[in-house]
Amino acid sequence: MLKCLDSMHAGVAPWSAARPSALHNSAAAAAAAASQRRGMSSSAVVSGRGVSTVQGTDLLVVYVTAPNADVAEKIANKLVEQQLVACVNVLPGITSIYRWQGKVEKDSEVLMILKTQGALLDKLTAKVRELHPYDEPEVIGLPIIGGSPSYMQWVVDNTSP
C-alpha cells in the first residue's frame, strides 16, 4: 500500500456546488476567522465558492477504482512521478455493485484516493484512461472545502499544472 501524509482531515463535500453561496460566504468567513485565531495562514481556507484554495489554486480529491492493488500501485506511481497528483492512498477490500452492459455486476476492487489541483483534472483523467485496464474507469473529482493549510500547500508544491 502506498503511503503519504495523512489527508483524512481534509473535508470533501460532493454537495458543495449545490449549496447557496450565502452559506459558502458564511463558511469562508468562519473558516478564515478560525484559522487566524489559531495563528494559521488564511491562504488555505474555504473560499467563497466552497472550494479550498492555496494561493488561488482549487484542490481536489479524486476517486479512481482499480481491479487490484498491483494495478492501482502502477497507476499511482505514474501519476505521482508525472506530478499529476501529490499523493495516492490505495484502499483494498471494497466491493463495487454496478450496472454494466445491461447486467448488474459485483466485483472486488481497490479504491485510490488522489490529491491534486483542479487545473490538472483533465490531464489526470486522460492519463488514468491511458493506463487503466477498464473500458470505462471511474475518475470522479470532488472539491476539498478545507483542511490543513500546510498539507494543502504540500499538494500544490508536489503537483505541476
Side-chain angles (χ1 to χ4, degrees), residues 32-153:
S35 293
Q36 289 173 346
R37 282 194 302 273
R38 289 190 215 94
M40 297 165 42
S41 165
S42 62
S43 65
V45 296
V46 179
S47 74
R49 293 177 296 142
V51 177
S52 187
T53 63
V54 176
Q55 299 172 351
T57 304
D58 292 342
L59 300 178
L60 302 176
V61 168
V62 180
Y63 290 168
V64 176
T65 53
N68 58 56
D70 288 340
V71 169
E73 289 183 19
K74 286 176 186 172
I75 293 170
N77 281 318
K78 288 286 187 188
L79 298 176
V80 172
E81 285 171 7
Q82 295 180 12
Q83 292 186 294
L84 294 172
V85 301
C87 174
V88 178
N89 303 112
V90 177
L91 304 175
I94 69 166
T95 300
S96 293
I97 300 170
Y98 57 95
R99 181 173 297 280
W100 184 249
Q101 297 178 340
K103 292 175 36 183
V104 175
E105 304 283 346
K106 178 180 174 182
D107 286 308
S108 294
E109 294 184 298
V110 298
L111 175 64
M112 294 182 280
I113 303 174
L114 299 68
K115 278 67 74 176
T116 192
Q117 298 183 45
L120 290 169
L121 186 58
D122 290 341
K123 287 182 189 176
L124 171 61
T125 301
K127 182 55 73 172
V128 168
R129 292 184 67 83
E130 174 188 319
L131 298 170
H132 209 289
Y134 290 171
D135 292 334
E136 189 59 57
E138 173 185 358
V139 182
I140 299 173
L142 306 170
I144 296 174
I145 62 166
S148 164
S150 59
Y151 181 84
M152 292 188 294
Q153 184 62 55

